[in-house]
Amino acid sequence: MSHQAGTGKYEQMLTKCRNLPPIPTAVAHPCEESALAGAIEAANMGLIVPILVGPRNKIEATAASAGLDISKYRIVDTPHSHASAAKSVELLREAQAELLMKGSLHTDELMSAVVSREGGLRTARRISHVFIMDVPTYHKVLFVTDGAINIAPTLEDKADICQNAIDLIMVLGLRKPKVAILSAVETVSSKMPATIDAAALCKMAERGQITGALLDGPLAFDNAISRQAAETKGIHSLVAGDPDILLAPDLEAGNILAKQLTFLANADSAGLVLGARVPIILTSRADSVRSRIASCGVAMLAAHARRAQP
């Protein structure tokens, strides 16, 4: 368990899961101990009903060496990881599963099956990743996006990345989340295109092109997180000091931000991919048990919200 287990931010978020039935989940290629254990732990907590997709002999050998009981779970036998990814996506398209969970295959191998034009899980929305972070020095759960999928997002991509994160937070029961659009400075300058994107995103929100949230930017990280820092700079912002979502200018910035919060600020980070037809649980081998459970819990809530939509 993580050093942060006592803070309770994830636990508060996950109390909603307690009275909900578990969601059938295709687990793509769980052929390493951490991947298989993550799925079984989430099952034992009543979050998911795993369908284990991969070479049966490898999955059974992994379970035996890890001391995991998988006797009550369905195994869909495939020859290799590429087939595991394709078969998992097929189970989702056939509505045999409602969530997708990454096992021990490479993320890009899983995602190429997800975004495949033939039989993938694309929607009109850009697919994006969100880190769901419990940072000890911050007063609520923080959502950082996109630090894993979109390398150099255009303005239109950023609008989708932003809307994906807003929609997820609203599923978790938060009304009017606050979005800080990050840059290195808080003034708009043509020399720094991220500042122009930030200003445009705020105007898009005013015009209803991004809905459900309060946006502000460009904001440097200090002004986003600290109201005092913002006031010192003369920035009057309802978002400063209280954002729910940090929208990074590009993948490097988002990735470095999330990882420095994890490794320097002792944060736990769960991860989800949004914008496909179903939420995708992307955990890394370095994740704590608590992070894995949080990823599954948030995905489960998103899946129940989809069920409730007409």
Side-chain angles (χ1 to χ4, degrees):
M1 283 293 269
S2 150
H3 36 253
Q4 262 318 101
T7 62
K9 292 187 199 111
Y10 278 169
E11 286 67 24
Q12 284 168 2
M13 193 168 64
L14 297 181
T15 49
K16 295 185 180 67
C17 296
R18 284 194 191 136
N19 304 318
L20 294 170
I23 295 282
T25 301
V27 185
H29 209 72
C31 298
E32 276 175 16
E33 187 171 325
S34 64
L36 187 57
I40 302 308
E41 278 150 11
N44 291 340
M45 291 187 71
L47 299 172
I48 66 170
V49 178
I51 302 166
L52 307 172
V53 184
R56 178 183 291 276
N57 56 350
K58 271 196 187 170
I59 292 172
E60 287 173 345
T62 303
S65 73
L68 296 166
D69 177 13
I70 59 167
S71 57
K72 55 178 181 280
Y73 303 118
R74 177 180 166 200
I75 297 177
V76 177
D77 195 12
T78 61
H80 45 63
S81 58
H82 190 68
S84 302
K87 186 65 186 175
S88 297
V89 167
E90 193 182 306
L91 291 174
L92 286 152
R93 287 183 64 89
E94 291 169 357
Q96 292 185 53
E98 293 173 63
L99 287 175
L100 178 57
M101 185 177 192
K102 177 188 165 220
S104 53
L105 74 181
H106 284 295
T107 300
D108 44 4
E109 194 170 15
L110 181 63
M111 291 311 297
S112 68
V114 168
V115 301
S116 153
R117 301 212 176 272
E118 310 292 308
L121 300 170
R122 280 174 177 267
T123 65
R125 194 80 69 77
R126 183 89 190 168
I127 287 175
S128 63
H129 180 276
V130 64
F131 284 107
I132 303 151
M133 309 201 73
D134 179 351
V135 187
T137 50
Y138 194 64
H139 57 282
K140 56 184 172 178
V141 173
L142 201 52
F143 294 73
V144 177
T145 193
D146 175 338
I149 290 181
N150 292 284
I151 296 171
T154 64
L155 174 63
E156 289 77 9
D157 293 339
K158 287 178 182 179
D160 275 359
I161 290 166
C162 189
Q163 193 69 61
N164 284 344
I166 293 164
D167 291 353
L168 176 67
I169 286 197
M170 289 171 74
V171 158
L172 300 176
L174 186 71
R175 296 277 158 261
K176 268 291 189 230
K178 296 175 180 176
V179 183
I181 306 158
L182 298 179
S183 178
V185 294
E186 53 289 326
T187 48
V188 178
S189 160
S190 62
K191 292 191 180 74
M192 299 180 75
T195 65
I196 294 180
D197 283 355
L201 288 164
C202 292
K203 185 55 77 174
M204 288 167 85
E206 279 179 30
R207 294 284 190 267
Q209 290 172 270
I210 298 169
T211 59
L214 184 65
L215 275 64
D216 196 11
L219 288 169
F221 184 77
D222 53 347
N223 307 317
I225 290 297
S226 161
R227 178 159 290 156
Q228 197 177 354
E231 284 170 359
T232 304
K233 282 264 177 91
I235 300 164
H236 305 292
S237 166
L238 294 170
V239 172
D242 194 38
D244 300 283
I245 297 168
L246 298 177
L247 188 73
D250 58 27
L251 182 134
E252 272 96 352
N255 193 282
I256 291 167
L257 172 57
K259 287 181 178 168
Q260 82 180 20
L261 289 172
T262 301
F263 288 93
L264 286 177
N266 294 338
D268 270 337
S269 80
L272 276 191
V273 171
L274 309 170
R277 277 164 50 169
V278 299
I280 301 164
I281 302 160
L282 265 205
T283 49
S284 124
R285 274 176 289 188
D287 285 346
S288 68
V289 172
R290 193 163 165 269
S291 291
R292 288 172 182 280
I293 295 302
S295 300
C296 292
V298 173
M300 176 216 198
L301 292 171
H304 276 290
R306 294 175 88 88
R307 284 182 179 182
Q309 286 167 355

